[in-house]
Amino acid sequence: MSDVRGDAVVTVAELKQQVKEFTESRNWGGGHRSKNLAMSIAIEAAELMEHFQWLENDDYAAEKLTEEKREQVRLEVADIAIYLLSFCNQQGIDLAKAVHDKYQINEKRFPVEEWVK
């Protein structure tokens, strides 16, 4: 885990494998079922929202957050991503394909010409 590589080089498949290995090495399979993982995603998302709960619209821009707050937010995002990747592993979801397919649907639902005037 000391090999820190960023978004530009790490694949979703690598992240999913890392989550799978971490979970399996700790024998967490029994607790990491779809219902629990879905709930954990929502719980972590709520924890992320909590950081912005009482801020005014102009106060939540990344450059306005303290370094400590930005780190807390970054780690909440990581929690959400880890649970989401684990959920995808559990359900056999190809995340990249699901995102692609959803964009195809959204392209039809929200045509550019209706939003850009």
Side-chain angles (χ1 to χ4, degrees):
M1 283 231 207
S2 62
D3 180 24
V4 179
R5 299 175 301 146
D7 288 349
V9 295
V10 177
T11 68
V12 174
E14 288 175 308
L15 291 173
K16 286 174 70 175
Q17 184 62 34
Q18 184 179 3
V19 168
K20 182 177 189 255
E21 290 172 5
F22 185 90
T23 302
E24 287 178 352
S25 69
R26 286 153 180 81
N27 200 25
W28 287 354
H32 280 221
R33 298 287 184 228
S34 297
K35 175 189 73 79
N36 295 343
L37 292 168
M39 291 171 61
S40 294
I41 292 165
I43 291 164
E44 294 299 337
E47 289 179 12
L48 175 62
M49 289 187 299
E50 191 174 27
H51 289 283
F52 301 95
Q53 184 174 10
W54 302 112
L55 298 179
E56 297 297 326
N57 286 340
D58 293 338
D59 294 337
Y60 63 81
E63 64 274 3
K64 290 192 174 185
L65 299 178
T66 66
E67 192 64 35
E68 179 183 357
K69 180 64 77 174
R70 288 183 69 177
E71 180 64 5
Q72 292 170 351
V73 166
R74 188 178 77 90
L75 295 176
E76 291 298 351
V77 168
D79 284 339
I80 295 164
I82 290 166
Y83 281 126
L84 178 62
L85 293 165
S86 191
F87 183 87
C88 289
N89 283 338
Q90 186 72 20
Q91 288 291 311
I93 294 171
D94 182 316
L95 181 58
K97 184 168 179 358
V99 169
H100 172 79
D101 292 349
K102 186 62 178 186
Y103 269 115
Q104 296 295 103
I105 292 166
N106 286 345
E107 286 286 338
K108 292 175 183 150
R109 285 184 63 204
F110 309 107
V112 171
E113 53 277 357
E114 289 184 22
W115 296 93
V116 179
K117 305 220 189 250

